[in-house]
Amino acid sequence: MSTSISPLATPFPEMATIAGVRLRVARARYKDWDRTDLTFAELAPGTTVAGVLTQSKCPSPEVEWCRKALVLGEARALVVNAGNSNAFTGSRGREAVEAIAAQTAQAIGCRPSDVFVASTGVIGVPLPIDKAQAGLAAAFVAPEADWRAAAETIGTTDTYPKGASATAIVDGRTITIAAIIKGSGMIAPDMATMLGFIFTDAAVEAPFLQAALSAANARTFSCITVDGDTSTSDTVLAFATGAAGNKPLADDDSDGADAFRAALADVCRQLALLVVRDGEGATKLIEVTVEGAESDRSAHRIAMSIANSPLVKTAIAGEDANWGRVVMAVGKAGEPAERDRLAIRFGATQVAEGGLAVSGYDEAPVAAHLKGQDVEIGVDLGLGEGRATVWTCDLTHGYISINADYRS
Amino acid sequence: MSTSISPLATPFPEMATIAGVRLRVARARYKDWDRTDLTFAELAPGTTVAGVLTQSKCPSPEVEWCRKALVLGEARALVVNAGNSNAFTGSRGREAVEAIAAQTAQAIGCRPSDVFVASTGVIGVPLPIDKAQAGLAAAFVAPEADWRAAAETIGTTDTYPKGASATAIVDGRTITIAAIIKGSGMIAPDMATMLGFIFTDAAVEAPFLQAALSAANARTFSCITVDGDTSTSDTVLAFATGAAGNKPLADDDSDGADAFRAALADVCRQLALLVVRDGEGATKLIEVTVEGAESDRSAHRIAMSIANSPLVKTAIAGEDANWGRVVMAVGKAGEPAERDRLAIRFGATQVAEGGLAVSGYDEAPVAAHLKGQDVEIGVDLGLGEGRATVWTCDLTHGYISINADYRS
């Protein structure tokens, strides 16, 4: 972990253990460092799994492996490597993933396709199989680790460990969801990458788990951006051990389906915001809400156009209520918009309305709002009912220092 | 003009006058400054005009005015205001444009629709009609100005004046094209904006001039990016006075059509590169060429994905041959790509091929190439014949300083 902690960091929360999940960490020494960098989670028999993976056309072999394994919907183990993303490494990269899955399957007695693998770190260097094998062997016999240790072990350029949890009542029982995530940008130096792992003791059939995760993803992970870049390795996996003993959630009519979905979405939202809060060089968390669009999809595109605009992000860094740059970002999104219906606010203060600056608006609350760590930009297009909220961070000298002053 | 000149600046070239074009500049004092900020170009009767305008959904009233006037294809005057973009100013902004056109039309005896207007500068403040009228009145009686004076007068955050020219043989006569442009980013502080004005003494019918300009635009202005942002006011206009006396160029079969198109494209390419060279904070000009794509359109999208990636741009700023970030940008473009066919080069040195780092490639020429001011990134997708070249600049602390440390 980096020594300079993000000013937006939040403390690692208290998180309960999840029955059916055993965490262990080890030192594979993928880089020349003295820290744990291999995480092994053993999952009880019967655990179901769902996932959302990067849409990159050039994914890592780990992503391809997980995509294939997800079809079966069953999981017995998760292995996460930090320090080497194994991306863009050809057949040797694939062999490393296969070797990890085979060794783990043999150790715990399962099919290789029950083993999920994710890696993060430098690109273009095949994951060294010997280090992975030695690290795994050490992990198998290591004492159990807690969430914080696992969160620290999957991190690379993260400046603080990230976890979130929630509970829900399902079929009369309290089920728990606990999750860890790493990432400080969609992409960080050395292709750092967002990797998120969610565990629950609820019994959930794989198709329903996938539907719930995909729905939550659309409103959380797919709504954050640090620099508009997309990793070759982004991975979020959700595992349900069933140890809570509830009647398995199978569809929308299952007892507790709504509560489970809400708890899962809550955890995903917490995780997503933790990643933005560790955005490279971030000093402010920016929430962009677009309303009045022709559709939710159109609202999302306009919100992402604003959140990805370097000029908007630098204006917020400078605590400058530069709504002209917001107009620019709306205009360039290519979605339906009418200049003379547009309204823009910073925090609770309308600064533009009906295609014009609000005459004599009070600048004091706007200035006060922009000085804070949490900044809200609101846009009302005045066209329809479409709505979306996305989150990003400001663009500062820190981002340039991390990404330009660094050498691979 | 800013006092800190871009390290990539080039000297203002020698440029011939264009028969049928009279340039004058004046002080309208749109801002509290003592410099010329209003440019007036009077054009001979019979001048034809073509234009390409921003695709922003929230354009300035000037852009809307020009779009309408272009339908007629005839021009007698151009008025350019610097210091106030007049964008997002509602009906008062429209009235200012109409007033400028009316006053100019009356002074030189033409229709208001023969007067083209462009403005650049702060957004959201209606252009003050009284200052525009006084400035215009002064311009009408000012002595003739040269290209350099006009280029300086249309500039705002530009760090150096920009001009380009070319000649061609058309119908047995030498025709000349001379042009000026302003812009230091698609968008700069205060919504600076790209405004380009091209003048030729060739006789060119308006539809052919428009076709030639649109074709040149697709390979030049549409192939540059500084920060991926799109101005509300981007405008390039081409005026042909016909003073050279050639048989008017009317279609592809006209004598000299190819030569004229080539000269126009040459001027557009020079202008486009001058803008990138003045990109905010730029220390390196980056040329990105994508080959082997499924189509030219697909190649263009992938090239722009690379050129707009903050991680690629910061890597070049850091003189870091980080081809992993290029892979990432290819992958996120959403266009057909196969990881295991991808080849990447920096300058003349292949660094990745067939989905793998080139084993033991010589790092010395790559390091030397990246230390220079002109950096080439080449990508071969190995899929088809599609090809595109685009240009951008690196992303540095200078960009953040200009855009975040500034207050509106």
Side-chain angles (χ1 to χ4, degrees):
Chain A
M1 300 253 164
S2 164
T3 46
S4 173
I5 294 168
S6 168
L8 306 179
T10 56
F12 196 84
E14 289 292 318
M15 283 167 45
T17 55
I18 300 290
V21 180
R22 282 187 189 152
L23 301 170
R24 294 184 166 87
V25 299
R27 284 172 166 72
R29 298 185 201 281
Y30 289 121
K31 295 183 83 166
D32 182 22
W33 55 21
D34 185 35
R35 50 157 276 189
T36 56
D37 53 8
L38 187 150
T39 306
F40 167 60
E42 187 178 347
L43 305 162
T47 296
T48 56
V49 60
V52 288
L53 301 161
T54 182
Q55 296 185 45
S56 171
K57 301 282 182 179
C58 301
S60 70
E62 282 80 347
V63 166
E64 294 180 320
W65 176 271
C66 289
R67 190 165 279 138
K68 208 167 152 190
L70 278 169
V71 175
L72 300 174
E74 295 169 15
R76 288 295 314 285
L78 167 70
V79 177
V80 185
N81 306 297
N84 184 322
S85 79
N86 198 34
F88 216 63
T89 54
S91 58
R92 287 180 58 200
R94 283 190 287 277
E95 286 162 20
V97 176
E98 288 163 8
I100 288 169
Q103 183 182 356
T104 307
Q106 186 163 35
I108 63 175
C110 69
R111 299 169 297 185
S113 60
D114 295 332
V115 180
F116 287 75
V117 186
S119 302
T120 173
V122 72
I123 197 172
V125 179
L127 192 78
I129 293 181
D130 55 340
K131 290 187 180 177
Q133 290 182 320
L136 265 180
F140 294 151
V141 297
E144 281 194 46
D146 61 12
W147 291 115
R148 186 186 176 102
E152 285 173 343
T153 304
I154 66 173
T156 52
T157 56
D158 302 65
T159 74
Y160 63 96
K162 305 174 183 75
S165 66
T167 60
I169 307 294
V170 172
D171 185 27
R173 293 156 205 254
T174 298
I175 66 93
T176 304
I177 302 175
I180 55 175
I181 196 162
K182 61 100 27 184
S184 56
M186 287 297 92
I187 291 275
D190 280 315
M191 303 299 283
T193 297
M194 187 182 77
L195 299 181
F197 307 107
I198 302 165
F199 304 87
T200 178
D201 53 6
V204 191
E205 290 186 7
F208 182 74
L209 187 60
Q210 184 64 54
L213 180 63
S214 294
N217 172 64
R219 286 179 294 132
T220 57
F221 301 117
S222 290
C223 294
I224 61 170
T225 177
V226 169
D227 49 22
D229 280 339
T230 305
S231 160
T232 51
S233 310
D234 285 343
T235 297
V236 176
L237 297 171
F239 303 97
T241 67
N246 60 290
K247 182 158 179 284
L249 291 166
D251 56 37
D252 290 353
D253 297 330
S254 299
D255 186 357
D258 287 347
F260 178 77
R261 269 198 308 245
L264 183 64
D266 176 34
V267 167
C268 289
R269 186 173 180 279
Q270 290 182 56
L271 295 177
L273 290 183
L274 286 169
V275 171
V276 177
R277 285 181 172 279
D278 208 6
E280 295 166 338
T283 67
K284 292 172 192 296
L285 177 70
I286 308 171
E287 180 175 290
V288 179
T289 298
V290 172
E291 300 175 293
E294 287 205 345
S295 66
D296 287 352
R297 186 187 172 89
S298 179
H300 179 80
R301 286 190 179 159
I302 292 170
M304 286 301 261
S305 177
I306 297 167
N308 275 324
S309 162
L311 287 171
V312 171
K313 291 155 71 84
T314 47
I316 300 302
E319 301 179 351
D320 174 18
N322 195 322
W323 56 270
R325 296 184 183 181
V326 179
V327 176
M328 175 282 300
V330 171
K332 79 164 179 166
E335 292 294 315
E338 283 181 35
R339 186 188 55 203
D340 296 347
R341 290 188 179 203
L342 206 52
I344 296 169
R345 68 177 166 81
F346 288 105
T349 311
Q350 291 287 337
V351 296
E353 248 169 8
L356 280 174
V358 172
S359 173
Y361 72 82
D362 187 359
E363 291 188 16
V366 174
H369 182 72
L370 291 175
K371 279 201 190 307
Q373 281 191 336
D374 292 320
V375 173
E376 288 174 43
I377 302 175
V379 171
D380 192 330
L381 297 169
L383 297 178
E385 300 295 315
R387 194 181 187 292
T389 296
V390 307
W391 297 271
T392 189
C393 55
D394 55 343
L395 175 56
T396 66
H397 284 288
Y399 183 87
I400 306 292
S401 294
I402 292 167
N403 288 298
D405 303 347
Y406 143 91
R407 293 291 187 292
S408 62
Chain B
M1 300 249 168
S2 164
T3 47
S4 172
I5 293 168
S6 167
L8 306 178
T10 55
F12 197 83
E14 289 292 318
M15 282 166 47
T17 55
I18 300 290
V21 179
R22 281 188 191 151
L23 302 171
R24 293 183 165 88
V25 298
R27 284 171 167 75
R29 299 187 201 278
Y30 290 121
K31 295 184 81 167
D32 182 21
W33 55 21
D34 185 33
R35 48 157 278 189
T36 56
D37 53 7
L38 187 151
T39 306
F40 167 60
E42 186 178 349
L43 305 162
T47 296
T48 56
V49 60
V52 289
L53 301 162
T54 182
Q55 296 185 44
S56 170
K57 301 281 181 180
C58 301
S60 69
E62 281 81 346
V63 165
E64 294 181 319
W65 175 271
C66 289
R67 188 166 281 137
K68 209 168 153 192
L70 279 169
V71 175
L72 300 174
E74 295 169 15
R76 288 295 313 285
L78 167 70
V79 177
V80 186
N81 308 297
N84 184 323
S85 79
N86 197 34
F88 215 64
T89 53
S91 59
R92 287 181 56 200
R94 282 191 289 276
E95 286 162 19
V97 176
E98 287 164 9
I100 288 170
Q103 184 181 357
T104 307
Q106 184 163 33
I108 63 175
C110 70
R111 300 170 296 185
S113 61
D114 294 332
V115 180
F116 287 75
V117 186
S119 302
T120 173
V122 73
I123 197 172
V125 179
L127 192 77
I129 293 183
D130 55 341
K131 290 188 180 177
Q133 289 181 321
L136 265 180
F140 294 152
V141 297
E144 281 196 46
D146 61 10
W147 291 113
R148 187 187 177 102
E152 285 174 344
T153 303
I154 66 172
T156 53
T157 56
D158 303 64
T159 75
Y160 62 98
K162 305 174 183 74
S165 65
T167 59
I169 306 294
V170 172
D171 184 27
R173 293 156 205 254
T174 298
I175 66 93
T176 304
I177 302 175
I180 55 175
I181 195 162
K182 61 100 27 186
S184 56
M186 289 296 95
I187 291 274
D190 280 315
M191 304 297 285
T193 298
M194 188 182 76
L195 299 181
F197 306 106
I198 303 165
F199 303 87
T200 179
D201 53 5
V204 191
E205 291 186 6
F208 182 74
L209 186 61
Q210 183 64 53
L213 180 64
S214 294
N217 172 64
R219 286 180 292 130
T220 57
F221 300 116
S222 290
C223 294
I224 61 171
T225 176
V226 169
D227 49 23
D229 280 337
T230 305
S231 160
T232 49
S233 310
D234 285 343
T235 298
V236 176
L237 297 171
F239 302 97
T241 67
N246 59 289
K247 182 158 178 283
L249 291 165
D251 57 36
D252 291 352
D253 296 330
S254 300
D255 187 357
D258 286 349
F260 177 78
R261 270 197 308 246
L264 183 65
D266 176 34
V267 166
C268 289
R269 185 173 180 279
Q270 290 182 57
L271 294 177
L273 291 183
L274 286 170
V275 171
V276 177
R277 285 182 171 278
D278 207 6
E280 295 168 337
T283 66
K284 292 172 192 294
L285 177 71
I286 307 172
E287 179 175 292
V288 179
T289 298
V290 172
E291 299 175 294
E294 286 204 347
S295 66
D296 287 351
R297 186 187 170 89
S298 179
H300 180 80
R301 286 189 177 159
I302 292 169
M304 287 299 262
S305 177
I306 297 167
N308 275 324
S309 162
L311 287 170
V312 171
K313 292 155 70 85
T314 47
I316 299 303
E319 302 179 350
D320 175 17
N322 196 322
W323 56 270
R325 296 184 183 180
V326 179
V327 175
M328 174 281 300
V330 172
K332 80 165 177 165
E335 292 295 314
E338 283 182 33
R339 185 188 57 204
D340 297 347
R341 290 187 179 203
L342 204 53
I344 296 168
R345 67 178 165 79
F346 287 104
T349 310
Q350 290 288 336
V351 296
E353 247 169 10
L356 281 173
V358 172
S359 171
Y361 72 82
D362 188 358
E363 290 187 16
V366 174
H369 181 72
L370 291 175
K371 279 199 189 310
Q373 281 191 336
D374 292 319
V375 172
E376 285 174 45
I377 301 175
V379 171
D380 192 330
L381 298 169
L383 297 179
E385 301 295 317
R387 194 179 187 293
T389 296
V390 307
W391 297 272
T392 189
C393 55
D394 55 344
L395 175 57
T396 68
H397 284 288
Y399 182 87
I400 306 293
S401 294
I402 292 168
N403 287 298
D405 303 348
Y406 145 90
R407 294 289 188 292
S408 62

